[in-house]
Amino acid sequence: FDGTSSQNSSQWRGLHSINGRNNPDGLYRSDFAMASRIIGQVSYRKEYFGFGATQISLIYDGNSGNPYSYTYNTRGNLTNEDSRERALIYVPRDRSEIVLVDDGSRTAEQQWLELDNFIANDDYLSSRRGQYAERKASRTPFTHIMDLRVLQDFYIDMPNGKRNTLQLSLDVFNFTNMLNKDWGRIYFAGNGGNFELLDFEGFVPDTNIPQFTYGGVADSENIFINNVDDSGFRSSRWQAQVGVRYIFN
C-alpha cells in the first residue's frame, strides 16, 4: 500500500485489482515511482571594475510524468466492491474480445473503431493486447521545467581591509512558463491516478459477460491535457522571488 490516505480502510478500498481487492495480483508500481529525471545547470559569472559581479544561472529539471492506471468505470457493479472500485481493464485483442453496446447515436461498431484506434496509438496498451492493464503502468506527459536565477553582488571594502558583499537576487521559478503560457506545464492524473477508459453497462442477460461503452477519447496524450497542476511551490505557473543578502567576510 502506498500510504496515500489517513485511514487504513481507505488504503484497502483504493487497491487496484483484477479479481477483487482481497485477491491482489502481485507486485505493482508505486504511486511515488519517479522513473526518469534529468537535471542540468549552466551559470555565467562576470566581475567588473572591482566593485561588483553579476551571475546568471539556468536550472533545467525534466521528469517523467505521474503514473496512472487504466480502469473501468464500474459504478461499483462489476466486481461488487462497496466503494472505490478500481478494476483494471482487459485490453482486447480484437472485436471478438469485448461486448460493446450502442450509446445514444454512437453505435457499438463505431465505438470499437475508436477504441481500437486508441489502443493502437497508445504505446503501453498496444503492448498489452490480450492481457490486463497493470497498475500505474502509464504516465502523464514528460515535464520540462527551467528556473532562472540572477545574482547581483556589490562589494563593500571595510576599514579593516576585509570585503563584505551586498547581494541582490531574483529567482523566477518555472521561467519556461513565463516565456510561453503553454510551456512548463505539470500534469496530474486525477481520480486517484486512474483513467476510466470503459464504462460498465451491465451484463448480457442471463450471463456473467460484461457489456461496455467507450467514450471516444481522442488519444492518450490528451486525456490529462486539462489536469494542470498550478498550486504550491512546484507549479505550472511561473513565480518570482526577490531577495537581499548581506555577506560578512
Side-chain angles (χ1 to χ4, degrees), residues 174-185 187 228 236-238:
N174 203 342
F175 179 62
T176 332
N177 180 252
M178 191 180 79
L179 297 177
N180 187 314
K181 65 182 179 63
D182 295 324
W183 294 353
R185 292 188 171 187
Y187 299 97
V228 178
S236 296
R237 296 178 186 270
W238 70 271

Side-chain angles (χ1 to χ4, degrees), residues 61 63-66 140-145 147 174 177 181-189 224-237 239:
D61 186 354
N63 284 272
S64 295
N66 295 316
T140 57
F142 201 90
T143 62
H144 303 276
I145 304 293
D147 299 332
N174 203 342
N177 180 252
K181 65 182 179 63
D182 295 324
W183 294 353
R185 292 188 171 187
I186 303 171
Y187 299 97
F188 68 92
F224 297 112
I225 201 69
N226 294 319
N227 289 8
V228 178
D229 186 356
D230 61 358
S231 63
F233 179 74
R234 179 175 166 77
S235 169
S236 296
R237 296 178 186 270
Q239 303 171 71

